[in-house]
Amino acid sequence: MSEAKPFLLEIGVEEIPHWMLEPALENLSASLSALWGQNGLQHAPPQADATPRRLVVRTASIQTRQEDRTELVMGPPRAAGEGAAAGFARKQGVDPASLMVENTPKGEYFAVRKSIEGRETSAILAEALPAIIGRIPWPKTMYWTGKDGMRFIRPIRWIVALLGGQIVEFQAGGVRAGALSRGHRRLGADEIAFDYENYEARLEKNGVILSFEKRRKRILDGIRKLLRGTGLSLVDDDALLKDLCYLTEFPTPILGEFDPKYLELPSEVLTTVMRHHQRYFSLRDSNGGMAPNFIAVMNLKADRKGFVKKGNERVLVARFNDARFFWEVDLQRSLTERLPDLEHVTFQAQLGSYLEKTKRVQQRAANIAAVLGLDPLFARRAAELSKADLTTSMVKEFTDLQGVMGGLYARAQGEPGEVWRAIYEHYRPLSMDDAIPSTPYGQVLSLADKFDTLASCFSVGLAPTSSKDPFALRRAAQGTVKVCVEGGLRIPIRAMEPEVLDFFLDRVRYYFRDIRGYAYDEVNAVLAADPPDLVEADLRLAAVKRVRKTENFEPLAASFKRIRNILKQANWTRGDVNPALLEADEERALHAAAASIAEEVRRDRAENDYLRALNHIASLRPAVDRFFDKVLVNAPDERVRNNRLALLGRLMNEFSSIADFSEIVTTS
Amino acid sequence: MDSFQETIFKLKRFWAQRGCVVQEPYDVEVGAGTMCPETFLRVLGPEPYNVAYVQPSRRPADGRYGENPNRLYKHQQLQVILKPAPSDVMDLYLASLEAIGIDLDKHDLKFEEDNWESPTLGAWGIGWQVMLDGLEITQFTYFQQCGGVDLDLVPAELTYGLERLVSFLQDRTSVYDIEWVKDTTYRQVRFLDEQQFSVYNFELADVAMLWKLLDLHEAEAQRLIDGYAKAERKERYPLLAAYDQVLKCSHNFNLLDARGAISVTERVGVIGRVRKLAVGVAQAWIDQQGLLRGEVAA
C-alpha cells in the first residue's frame, strides 16, 4: 500500500445556530467517508467535531495516493478477425501485438489489460471538497459573496485542509483553504499553526475546547464545584446542557442568585424566564424547593471580577420584575371577569372571537365528557375559562405560558382541581414528543379545543394545503390522535365532522406510521376495516404486526387480494352460499373451515383477543390454497359460479372486519 | 462613566473613522432604523454604501405610559449599514463595543440565532441577537432581500439598542435613570413623551381617522408608483416621496394595531397592502438607479 498520512478539514464559520450543528457534522463526515470509499482510499476511522464556529472532520491516516490497478477491457470477438482487432487496439492506444484472447462463456474475445495509475488523494479531495461543503443541508441558507455566490448557513471565514501537513488546494465561498486555524474570539489568536498531533492541544491553548464531550464535562464539573457545600442541587436539563455545549467554545458555568422574594411567583413563570429566555439552569435547595439561584454558562474562562454574574443577575431581575408586575396586575381581575374581554380577541375573522370559540368548546367538552362517563359540568367549566388567560399581561408577554397561566389563575380564584388542572395542561401535547395531558379533564379539554379548531377551520374552507398550514391544523389533529390513543379514550371516529374525516384519518396514518412505527400497509389494512375508535385501531395494529411474522399470514393476505380482485371483476355485491350447490371437495372444505373459524373468531373478539382472532383467521390458509388450486371460480354453470363468488364474498366480509388483509403488501 | 450622548458620540465617531457617512435621523415616523431610506433604498442595487445614524423608532404598542423601567414607545437605535459586509465585520463590531468601554475579556458575549424579517417591507436577513452577559444589545443581520428583491451586495446591518446598552454601561435598572448628560436624566428628557404618546396611542387616537389616513397615504403612494412607469423624465421622478408615503402607511398601521383596531386576519391583509407598496417602490428605485448610472433600462 502507498504511504498514509493524517488528514484534517476545518471549516471556520461565523456562529452557526446551535441546533443545526449535529446534523451538519454528520452529513459532512458521511460525505467524506463516502468519497474515500468510492475512491478506494484506505483510512483510519474519521473523527468529527463541531463548535459554533467550526466543523472539523479528521482521520489519523489516509492513503496519499490510490493504488495503481489494472483493468481488463474487452474488445471484439476473435471471430471478427485481425482488422477488428487492430481497430480495437488503436482505440485503446496499445500495440495490436499486446492484445490477449480471453475465453468467455460467449466465446473467445480480444481483450487488453490496461494499467490505471492511481490518483493523488490531495487531487481527489481538492476536486470534491467544494461540492461536499456546498451540499451540507441547512434549514435556511444565505449568500454573502454576491447574488450567485455560495449558499451556506453563515459566512465561511477560513478553511484548513491539510493532508500530511500539505495544504489541499481548493476554494469555497470565496475562501482559499490554508494551514492556519483560529482560536476563540477573545481567548485565542487569529492565526494558529499546528500539526495533526497537537491540533486539539493548540486549540485548547487558544480557548477552544474542540470536543463536545469535553465541553459537556467541563460544564458539569464546573457546576459540581460551584454547588459543593452550598446545599443546592441542579435541576437536570439535558436539552439545555446540549444547547449550551453548542453555543460555546470554552464554556464555564457561574452561579448567580436573585432575591428570594421572587420565589413567591409561580415556579412555572420563573422557570420559563430562566430556561427559555435566558438559558439558565434552575436549582433546588436542600428541601427540594426551588432555590433563589441559577447557573448561567459563559463562553469565557473565568469571571474574576464578577461582571458576568452581576450582568446576568441584573437581566434576570428585570425579567422577574416584569413577570411579577404581570402576575399582580393579572390577579386583580379573575378569569371569570375576563370572559367578556374575549369578545375582542379574534380567533379567526370568519370564525369570530375567542368568546364564540369558548362557547363551542364548552359544548364539545361536555359531550366528550358524557361519552367517557365523566362529569360534563367540570368539563364545561374548564372549557369556559380555558382561553381567558389570553387577555392577561403574563401570557401576552410569555406566550409559551398560555394555558399554564390560565390554570394557575384558576387555582388562585378557587376553582376545583379538576378544572384548573384541565386548563393548565389543555394545550398539550405541543408536539409529538410532548406528553398528553395527565388528567381526564385535561384530556377532554385538549380534545374539545383541538377538534373545534379543526372542525371550524374546515367549515369555512381553511383546510391546510401541502405547503401552507397557518393554523397548525396538522399539529392539532395529530395531537387529538395522540391523546385518544395514549389516553385510551374511546371516542367514536365516526363522530367526527365528515368534511374533516379524511384529513383526520391522514393524521391517524401519520401517527401510527411515523410516530409508532407500524408499516404503512398494516395501518391501511386496519383502517380499511373501519375500527370504531383509535384505541381499537391501536389494539388491532399491535395484533396485525405480531401475526404478520407467522408463516400463514402473508400468503393468506395474497389470497385475499386475489379474492378482492375476483369479486370486483365479477361485480359481486351480495348473495348467500347455498351448501347444496357446493360441488368440489375443496369448496365444501373451505365452507366448513370458514364456518368453524368464524365461530372461533367471534369468541376471540368477544374477549378482545385480536391476536388469537388473527391467528385463527391465518389458519384458513391451507383451505384457501387448496380451493384456489383445485376449484375454478368461473364455472360455466352460472348458479355454481354465483355460489362460489358468494363463498369468497363471505370470506372477505367475515374475515376482513379486524383488518382488511387485501391491503397488506406481500413479498410473494 | 460616559453619558448617554457621549456613548452615542463615540459610536458615531467609531463608524465615521471606518468610512461611514454619519447621517442624522430621518424625519418621518418609523418603527425601526431599517425602514429609513438610508437603509431600505440604499441596500438595493450594486453601489457600495456605508452609513451610520441614530434613529428614534416609534412602536406605539410597546408604550407603557413611562411606568415600565425597560419598555418604551420610542427608543433610539444606532443603525449601521456596511454594504457590502467586509469579511472582518464581526471584528469591527467587537471593536465598536470596546470603543464604548466594554472590556470583552471580562464580559460574556454570545451570538444567538435570530433571523430578522419585516413582512411589511418584504425584507429579511440572516443573523443573530448579540447577548452581552445575558442582555440582548444588538441585532446583527446579513440582509438577503429588501422590497422582495434579492440584493446584489449583501450588507451587514448592526442595530444597537442604545437605551439597553447604556443602562448596561451605567449600571441602571431603569432606563429612566440613565444619565443623558451630566445632571440630566433620561426621565427628564423623555418621560412626558412616553406618557403622553401612550395616552394618545392607546386611548385617544381616532380609529376612523387612522383608517382614513392609511387609505389616503396608500392611494398617494400607489399613484406615485403607477406614475413612474409612464413618467417621461424617470431620472428625476420622486420615488423618495413615494417611499415617505409608504412609511406613513406603516406608522398608521402601527397606531391602529396599538388601538387594538386590527384583528388577526385583517393584520395579514394590511401588512400585504403596505408590502405591495414597499415592493413597488423598491422595484422602481432599482430601475431608476440603473438609469442614473447610465445603464439601459431592461
Side-chain angles (χ1 to χ4, degrees):
Chain A
M1 195 178 100
S2 70
E3 205 186 355
K5 286 184 174 163
F7 170 72
L8 182 145
L9 173 69
E10 180 185 73
I11 308 170
V13 189
E14 290 180 2
E15 279 74 355
I16 300 172
H18 61 90
W19 56 280
M20 301 178 185
L21 281 166
E22 267 183 6
L25 187 63
E26 265 167 40
N27 177 276
L28 179 64
S29 181
S31 298
L32 277 169
S33 293
L35 176 76
W36 298 336
Q38 284 152 15
N39 286 282
L41 295 169
Q42 301 283 322
H43 60 88
Q47 190 179 344
D49 294 281
T51 76
R53 291 181 74 209
R54 62 201 80 218
L55 297 170
V56 180
V57 179
R58 58 196 155 135
T59 173
S61 84
I62 182 164
Q63 267 179 284
T64 54
R65 193 170 172 280
Q66 281 178 314
E67 298 296 327
D68 295 338
R69 60 204 159 90
T70 58
E71 199 173 85
L72 193 63
V73 183
M74 300 299 286
R78 187 174 195 183
E82 293 297 323
F88 170 62
R90 206 167 37 246
K91 213 170 131 206
Q92 294 297 324
V94 296
D95 182 355
S98 67
L99 292 188
M100 311 176 303
V101 173
E102 282 287 307
N103 242 321
T104 77
K106 285 193 277 176
E108 289 183 325
Y109 282 78
F110 289 112
V112 63
R113 193 169 294 282
K114 292 184 74 176
S115 66
I116 294 173
E117 217 175 307
R119 294 181 69 201
E120 294 290 332
T121 301
S122 60
I124 295 172
L125 285 166
E127 187 180 283
L129 280 171
I132 284 179
I133 294 170
R135 275 202 304 265
I136 296 175
W138 302 102
K140 191 169 193 176
T141 58
M142 64 174 285
Y143 62 91
W144 66 98
T145 55
K147 222 189 270 194
D148 302 316
M150 182 185 197
R151 299 195 71 93
F152 208 65
I153 182 61
R154 292 289 186 279
I156 295 177
R157 292 306 183 197
W158 78 90
I159 297 173
V160 181
L162 291 173
L163 180 62
Q166 292 294 311
I167 295 172
V168 177
E169 304 263 3
F170 71 96
Q171 278 192 49
V175 176
R176 189 173 283 283
L180 300 178
S181 181
R182 289 193 199 177
H184 182 284
R185 282 197 187 283
R186 300 308 305 177
L187 304 172
D190 282 346
E191 297 189 334
I192 304 169
F194 64 92
D195 54 49
Y196 191 86
E197 286 68 32
N198 69 13
Y199 174 60
E200 270 189 74
R202 294 279 296 141
L203 280 183
E204 191 155 340
K205 269 223 165 66
N206 283 279
V208 177
I209 300 176
L210 185 64
S211 143
F212 172 88
E213 281 310 321
K214 282 189 189 161
R215 292 197 299 277
R216 190 171 183 276
K217 186 168 181 301
R218 181 175 161 84
I219 295 175
L220 289 174
D221 288 350
I223 291 176
R224 213 167 295 127
K225 233 196 230 153
L226 287 169
L227 298 187
R228 194 172 297 147
T230 60
L232 299 170
S233 60
L234 184 72
V235 178
D236 285 326
D237 189 337
D238 278 340
L240 177 60
L241 179 60
K242 186 171 161 187
D243 290 353
L244 289 164
C245 289
Y246 279 132
L247 275 165
T248 51
E249 296 207 296
F250 205 99
T252 307
I254 50 170
L255 176 61
E257 55 201 74
F258 55 86
D259 192 320
K261 73 181 180 191
Y262 294 107
L263 291 174
E264 291 161 17
L265 283 168
S267 62
E268 291 86 346
V269 173
L270 300 177
T271 307
T272 294
V273 171
M274 290 199 280
R275 167 86 169 75
H276 296 287
H277 295 261
Q278 297 299 130
R279 299 189 202 279
Y280 300 157
F281 290 99
S282 303
L283 297 167
R284 278 193 210 89
D285 61 22
S286 48
N287 300 320
M290 192 159 184
N293 299 86
F294 64 91
I295 297 274
V297 173
M298 319 180 287
N299 185 27
L300 213 57
K301 241 176 219 168
D303 180 28
R304 285 189 222 298
K305 304 240 168 172
F307 288 151
V308 183
K309 169 175 143 75
K310 193 174 151 200
N312 278 285
E313 285 173 351
R314 248 194 55 191
V315 177
L316 187 61
V317 163
R319 290 250 176 206
F320 280 169
N321 272 331
D322 273 354
R324 190 175 57 174
F325 174 76
F326 298 145
W327 173 251
E328 284 165 1
V329 168
D330 288 346
L331 282 176
Q332 286 165 16
R333 282 182 75 219
S334 71
L335 294 180
T336 317
E337 286 170 298
R338 288 173 184 275
L339 287 177
D341 297 357
L342 286 177
E343 201 188 329
H344 307 296
V345 185
T346 312
F347 170 55
Q348 202 282 324
Q350 290 155 275
L351 297 168
S353 69
Y354 268 99
L355 188 62
E356 287 162 77
K357 178 175 173 65
T358 296
K359 286 179 181 150
R360 294 194 303 265
V361 176
Q362 274 181 277
Q363 189 54 48
R364 218 176 253 273
N367 292 346
I368 295 174
V371 168
L372 298 175
L374 295 163
D375 185 345
L377 286 179
F378 281 138
R380 194 178 273 280
R381 178 64 174 164
E384 183 181 20
L385 300 180
S386 63
K387 301 298 172 188
D389 67 353
L390 294 177
T391 70
T392 64
S393 325
M394 189 78 86
V395 172
K396 283 181 188 164
E397 177 69 16
F398 302 109
T399 47
D400 298 350
L401 286 172
Q402 62 181 2
V404 169
M405 290 320 300
L408 295 174
Y409 291 136
R411 185 175 63 182
Q413 74 176 51
E415 297 292 331
E418 287 84 351
V419 171
W420 74 257
R421 283 200 187 89
I423 298 170
Y424 185 97
E425 56 184 10
H426 82 276
Y427 284 97
R428 305 188 86 175
L430 297 169
S431 71
M432 286 296 98
D433 299 325
D434 191 24
I436 63 166
S438 62
T439 65
Y441 291 98
Q443 293 166 2
V444 168
L445 186 54
S446 169
L447 286 180
D449 182 29
K450 292 175 179 65
F451 279 140
D452 173 73
T453 300
L454 285 172
S456 50
C457 283
F458 269 76
S459 73
V460 293
L462 294 174
T465 63
S466 57
S467 59
K468 283 194 179 127
D469 185 11
F471 298 94
L473 298 184
R474 281 194 187 83
R475 195 177 63 191
Q478 280 153 215
T480 62
V481 175
K482 192 173 159 93
V483 171
C484 285
V485 175
E486 292 168 32
L489 308 183
R490 291 184 176 264
I491 312 278
I493 294 176
R494 294 284 154 185
M496 174 87 50
E497 281 78 354
E499 61 269 30
V500 188
L501 191 60
D502 281 343
F503 176 74
F504 178 74
L505 288 174
D506 195 46
R507 295 296 93 195
V508 169
R509 287 196 177 87
Y510 165 81
Y511 169 80
F512 281 124
R513 273 190 334 237
D514 292 52
I515 307 299
R516 300 287 302 280
Y518 290 112
Y520 77 98
D521 58 341
E522 293 164 1
V523 177
N524 286 346
V526 167
L527 291 183
D530 235 343
D533 58 62
L534 295 178
V535 180
E536 181 91 10
D538 191 28
L539 291 171
R540 293 184 189 184
L541 271 167
V544 169
K545 192 186 173 85
R546 285 187 64 186
V547 80
R548 182 169 197 168
K549 295 177 196 121
T550 60
E551 59 168 342
N552 283 334
F553 186 74
E554 290 215 0
L556 185 73
S559 299
F560 267 81
K561 188 166 289 168
R562 189 167 166 193
I563 293 173
R564 186 172 67 174
N565 289 336
I566 291 170
L567 293 172
K568 203 166 135 198
Q569 264 172 22
N571 280 322
W572 186 85
T573 47
R574 50 174 305 154
D576 292 325
V577 181
N578 179 355
L581 284 173
L582 294 170
E583 288 181 344
D585 288 348
E586 289 78 10
E587 60 179 323
R588 272 196 295 275
L590 179 58
H591 183 61
S596 82
I597 288 175
E599 194 50 43
E600 299 275 8
V601 169
R602 258 192 293 281
R603 220 171 326 178
D604 299 335
R605 291 195 61 173
E607 292 163 18
N608 266 330
D609 193 340
Y610 288 115
L611 187 61
R612 240 175 95 109
L614 289 177
N615 273 319
H616 273 125
I617 293 172
S619 72
L620 270 171
R621 179 195 166 188
V624 173
D625 284 356
R626 276 195 296 274
F627 174 86
F628 278 124
D629 270 354
K630 302 286 182 201
V631 180
L632 184 70
V633 179
N634 219 350
D637 180 343
E638 194 187 340
R639 288 185 314 150
V640 173
R641 182 165 75 234
N642 284 339
N643 202 45
R644 285 177 183 166
L645 287 171
L647 174 58
L648 294 179
R650 180 192 168 181
L651 281 178
M652 192 76 199
N653 290 339
E654 193 142 14
F655 299 115
S656 293
S657 62
I658 296 176
D660 181 349
F661 304 128
S662 64
E663 293 282 349
I664 296 287
V665 177
T666 53
T667 42
S668 50
Chain B
M1 180 189 81
D2 286 335
S3 66
F4 187 62
Q5 63 190 36
E6 186 58 32
T7 299
I8 294 174
F9 296 153
K10 283 186 175 171
L11 278 173
K12 283 184 170 180
R13 183 152 307 283
F14 176 89
W15 289 108
Q17 283 162 353
R18 275 144 195 89
C20 286
V21 170
V22 173
Q23 261 281 22
E24 298 308 318
Y26 199 58
D27 58 349
V28 173
E29 305 95 328
V30 293
T34 308
M35 305 179 79
C36 300
E38 281 295 280
T39 294
F40 181 79
L41 294 175
R42 291 282 187 176
V43 297
L44 299 168
E47 312 271 3
Y49 195 64
N50 297 319
V51 65
Y53 53 93
V54 172
Q55 183 62 47
S57 302
R58 300 193 189 210
R59 300 193 177 162
D62 286 352
R64 293 290 184 275
Y65 297 86
E67 287 162 17
N68 184 300
N70 302 304
R71 280 295 161 106
L72 298 165
Y73 141 69
K74 183 160 81 183
H75 70 287
Q76 331 276 320
Q77 296 183 339
L78 187 114
Q79 167 89 354
V80 179
I81 291 289
L82 303 174
K83 175 194 175 191
S87 61
D88 62 348
V89 54
M90 283 263 194
D91 295 328
L92 282 176
Y93 167 69
L94 297 182
S96 77
L97 295 181
E98 298 202 298
I100 53 172
I102 299 173
D103 180 351
L104 291 174
D105 292 335
K106 298 195 176 71
H107 293 279
D108 178 39
L109 198 75
K110 292 197 192 85
F111 291 84
E112 299 196 1
E113 178 192 19
D114 194 9
N115 299 326
W116 171 84
E117 186 181 13
S118 167
T120 38
L121 294 181
W124 64 275
I126 288 237
W128 305 268
Q129 48 178 348
V130 185
M131 309 294 289
L132 182 68
D133 296 345
L135 177 74
E136 185 197 342
I137 53 164
T138 306
Q139 182 79 35
F140 188 129
T141 306
Y142 288 109
F143 272 22
Q144 300 284 293
Q145 243 190 22
C146 222
V149 178
D150 284 339
L151 300 179
D152 293 316
L153 298 178
V154 173
E157 178 198 59
L158 310 174
T159 305
Y160 302 77
L162 289 172
E163 283 85 354
R164 281 205 186 173
L165 195 56
V166 177
S167 342
F168 174 86
L169 289 169
Q170 297 188 3
D171 195 15
R172 301 284 192 255
T173 49
S174 164
V175 295
Y176 293 102
D177 298 336
I178 288 175
E179 184 188 283
W180 191 295
V181 66
K182 191 171 178 329
D183 299 331
T184 304
T185 62
Y186 192 91
R187 174 179 298 279
Q188 286 168 288
V189 180
R190 291 224 49 249
F191 176 77
L192 287 180
D193 197 7
E194 285 297 320
Q195 187 181 51
Q196 296 193 5
F197 274 98
S198 292
V199 173
Y200 177 74
N201 297 337
F202 290 127
E203 300 169 23
L204 294 177
D206 183 335
V207 171
M209 180 206 68
L210 292 174
W211 280 116
K212 201 187 282 176
L213 285 176
L214 180 64
D215 292 343
L216 287 172
H217 289 302
E218 181 187 30
E220 182 68 346
Q222 193 62 58
R223 184 178 72 85
L224 289 171
I225 293 167
D226 294 343
Y228 178 74
K230 291 170 261 163
E232 287 187 356
R233 293 169 66 189
K234 285 190 161 58
E235 291 86 346
R236 53 174 289 225
Y237 193 84
L239 291 172
L240 285 166
Y243 187 62
D244 272 9
Q245 298 297 321
V246 179
L247 293 179
K248 298 262 182 206
C249 288
S250 170
H251 181 59
N252 278 295
F253 164 74
N254 289 341
L255 286 169
L256 284 163
D257 202 25
R259 281 292 266 137
I262 299 183
S263 73
V264 180
T265 23
E266 276 173 333
R267 228 186 132 71
V268 180
V270 182
I271 288 174
R273 282 162 64 184
V274 181
R275 180 173 51 234
K276 182 171 163 249
L277 300 173
V279 168
V281 173
Q283 279 165 353
W285 178 262
I286 290 170
D287 183 73
Q288 189 179 50
Q289 290 294 304
L291 294 177
L292 290 170
R293 282 193 306 274
E295 291 167 10
V296 181

